[in-house]
Amino acid sequence: MADTFAAALDDFTRRDWQTLAPDAVDDPVRVAVVGLGWFAREWALPGIDRSAYTEAAVVCDVDPEVTAAVAAERDLVGVAPDELRSGAVAEEYDAVYVATPNATHLEYVEAAAEQGKAVLCEKPVEATLDRAERLVSACDDAGVPLMVGYRMQTDPAVRRLKESVADGALGDVVHVHATMSQTMLGELGTDHDQWRLDPDLSGGCALMDIGVYPLNTTRFVLEADPVAVFGTTRSEHAAFAGVDEHASYRLTFADGVEAMCSVSQTAQHASRLEVTGTEGRAVLDPAFYEREDREFALERGGSRVGVEFEQVHQPAEEFAYFGHQLLAEEPFYPDGEHALGDARALDAVYESAETGSVVRLDG
Amino acid sequence: MADTFAAALDDFTRRDWQTLAPDAVDDPVRVAVVGLGWFAREWALPGIDRSAYTEAAVVCDVDPEVTAAVAAERDLVGVAPDELRSGAVAEEYDAVYVATPNATHLEYVEAAAEQGKAVLCEKPVEATLDRAERLVSACDDAGVPLMVGYRMQTDPAVRRLKESVADGALGDVVHVHATMSQTMLGELGTDHDQWRLDPDLSGGCALMDIGVYPLNTTRFVLEADPVAVFGTTRSEHAAFAGVDEHASYRLTFADGVEAMCSVSQTAQHASRLEVTGTEGRAVLDPAFYEREDREFALERGGSRVGVEFEQVHQPAEEFAYFGHQLLAEEPFYPDGEHALGDARALDAVYESAETGSVVRLDG
């Protein structure tokens, strides 16, 4: 018994996808980082550094002062957006990480595809379904590898949860509850990151910015796509006049599993993912934020095992996977087609919120 | 600070409704218990005994052997259903507690009302909305006090949660998640209790039997009624051929608050109520079962207080409230009109499940 728990703990943070050892890497993937907002500066660039499979090479932002400051601080090449898109420094990088506002992903991904560069694009993949499809097509047509930045998918707690489901530890999944909320105006702070409030740049706020976590993580864990969605959105504060401040939505899967999800940009900071099956329940709480310790719990019958584990640096893990798959010439799980599943569902939730009706996705 | 916590702990299980001291009671309310299933035998009768405001006097079941056995064991008057309804032993009791299958509540409540007896009727109040309305009217017309057996409403954890909401500790409530599931076939066991699988007797299964907990507790805690509902039901196992085995439903309140609820009769035993507001989150987990220790947690900003407390015997607390309000001549909060709010919402969820559309309750 003790051996079982010891082995489970030792294995908890294993990289089940890793075939190429980190110390076998001589030439890590050189990454150009586009869009130097809070997440890129505080999480992505440190993550790229920590990963053995990647290294930062170029940085780029619409704000030349930000570009210059980050380039100087990290001793990287700093370029303006049109330089990057034109390929002026294309010999400096192997891949492009796009962390710009949602509605500007397309222009950078199209440019990277034309240059034959691999792409890691932040989620949601674009501001609208139409633009998301164009983005994925651009990579497909150019034959460049596209990964979408679902950092939960390389988090060990999420991977272990997915394995629990796949191994039948929960029996048949019956329902899922997932929630994510934050005090956005307080937490994100600077104006630089408040493009999320501009519908033209973001495509929406609560759903696009955080709704994607309950949605994508549920899809990933269940290895299934919703066949129907139903949702509502609403806004109270003036800052959210043109976008959704709160959203709740239900995802229906082919086998009748229902995922009940809620997100808010102005509620108590919290996040939770709970998967209940005929024989067990698995919980991550907190679940979705990169800056706090996830806890994993599994209940079966009257017993419960709770796992506190050495957290990974989520962006480091995500970039390690990105670089590893490129160097090992393996495909990405969260690829363009996978991301379009989110784009279709998000589009359908907005449609449902407008019409008040269920929107089918399997038509 | 320590004083604050000490006072909060000392006050946690207080009966905020109690004006008449238990030791001032000379003549407790004499209760006739109708329907001697598992809950009445294992929980209600012991609860009546433990409460200073009530005492068991008469027992009655459709099965004469069960009636005789319980009467003998507890030294009570045992009567057949038609005797009870005819008032043959009406001088033996002051109130009737109805714990029979849902669709038979009406006949016992009508008889009790004719006899001028106070009624405590189990929830859901009847098998259909129409019969629920007739039941409530019978008591109104006869002028007898009617309470409906929402044992969560006298649980201190739920009362403290309601106070947190009312006092603004959570700010404005944004969303609620509530779930309840059990392995019904295994947990309830005997055939005697499996009338829940008979749609004529139960009016439905997962929603009627356990769906009422997330629904009613949310209504109670928010002090609000849903203005719209949306839900689905489904069944997989043969035992649930005529009724709902799983259900998920969303309650929309006037201020836009959405409660995302799920219940299952064949999933991992679990229950949870989570209320998230602009300034805090309150959680009961486990929440709804009488046979396990509730935990209360309140989070605000980056802080969390978790309360483990001396659990009450829920039916004892419920019967104490029932007897107390009768002796103090005070009204019940969960009265007939309150129970009709549940009946209307449950009826609307079944309608929504059939039509696939949102059903309004404020029309």
Side-chain angles (χ1 to χ4, degrees), chain B residues 13-363:
Chain B
T13 58
R14 74 185 179 280
R15 290 174 169 173
D16 51 83
W17 44 265
Q18 184 174 287
T19 56
L20 185 66
D23 54 16
V25 176
D26 294 323
D27 295 305
V29 175
R30 297 169 304 157
V31 180
V33 174
V34 196
L36 302 173
W38 164 82
F39 188 81
R41 294 192 313 273
E42 302 292 326
W43 288 94
L45 280 163
I48 292 168
D49 285 350
R50 284 165 178 245
S51 143
Y53 304 94
T54 53
E55 64 183 19
V58 173
V59 289
C60 172
D61 193 84
V62 290
D63 184 334
E65 287 183 27
V66 170
T67 305
V70 175
E73 183 193 335
R74 294 181 168 271
D75 194 21
L76 302 171
V77 177
V79 294
D82 51 356
E83 284 179 282
L84 187 84
R85 286 190 300 254
S86 72
V89 293
E91 74 285 359
E92 301 284 342
Y93 54 89
D94 310 305
V96 179
Y97 167 59
V98 180
T100 60
N102 301 338
T104 64
H105 290 177
L106 178 58
E107 61 197 83
Y108 293 103
V109 173
E110 279 178 338
E114 274 170 36
Q115 295 161 25
K117 305 295 184 186
V119 176
L120 173 52
C121 180
E122 264 306 331
K123 85 252 159 254
V125 69
E126 248 287 351
T128 66
L129 175 56
D130 175 61
R131 291 176 64 86
E133 287 169 340
R134 286 168 56 195
L135 186 153
V136 173
S137 293
C139 294
D140 283 350
D141 294 348
V144 302
L146 167 63
M147 172 169 149
V148 178
Y150 297 107
R151 58 179 166 73
M152 299 311 297
Q153 294 198 12
T154 42
D155 189 280
V158 174
R159 294 188 81 83
R160 300 299 88 81
L161 173 52
K162 180 187 171 76
E163 288 164 5
S164 296
V165 172
D167 294 349
L170 310 184
D172 297 327
V173 173
V174 175
H175 50 240
V176 176
H177 282 263
T179 187
M180 186 171 186
S181 50
Q182 63 180 355
T183 52
M184 174 187 169
L185 301 177
E187 287 179 45
L188 290 183
T190 70
D191 285 347
H192 196 73
D193 290 306
Q194 298 303 9
W195 57 266
R196 291 173 176 80
L197 294 169
D198 178 344
D200 292 334
L201 283 176
S202 63
C205 193
L207 263 176
M208 293 296 275
D209 186 35
I210 53 177
V212 74
Y213 287 87
L215 165 63
N216 186 265
T217 312
T218 300
R219 288 180 61 216
F220 178 68
V221 164
L222 301 185
E223 283 190 81
D225 290 330
V227 295
V229 304
F230 178 76
T232 57
T233 60
R234 69 191 172 96
S235 298
E236 294 173 291
H237 293 90
F240 295 89
V243 291
D244 47 311
E245 179 178 353
H246 316 291
S248 67
Y249 50 103
R250 205 183 63 163
L251 313 171
T252 304
F253 293 86
D255 48 9
V257 172
E258 305 276 4
M260 312 293 280
C261 306
S262 65
V263 290
S264 173
Q265 292 284 24
T266 57
Q268 166 71 15
H269 181 101
S271 73
R272 180 179 171 89
L273 175 64
E274 172 188 295
V275 183
T276 305
T278 50
E279 292 170 29
R281 177 166 81 145
V283 177
L284 296 187
D285 189 348
F288 298 125
Y289 289 100
E290 71 291 332
R291 52 195 182 280
E292 58 198 11
D293 291 355
R294 264 154 289 285
E295 285 188 17
F296 174 93
L298 176 65
E299 300 165 19
R300 276 170 64 88
S303 302
R304 175 182 189 278
V305 59
V307 184
E308 293 167 44
F309 56 97
E310 195 176 357
Q311 302 288 317
V312 297
H313 185 283
Q314 278 196 331
E317 207 66 8
E318 178 186 332
F319 277 99
Y321 176 79
F322 177 66
H324 177 277
Q325 299 301 92
L326 288 175
L327 295 174
E329 297 184 0
E330 292 288 337
F332 303 119
Y333 183 92
D335 63 6
E337 189 49 47
H338 178 78
L340 288 181
D342 274 14
R344 291 183 197 109
L346 291 169
D347 187 67
V349 173
Y350 280 119
E351 180 188 337
S352 172
E354 249 177 55
T355 62
S357 298
V358 173
V359 175
R360 305 286 318 180
L361 286 163
D362 55 352

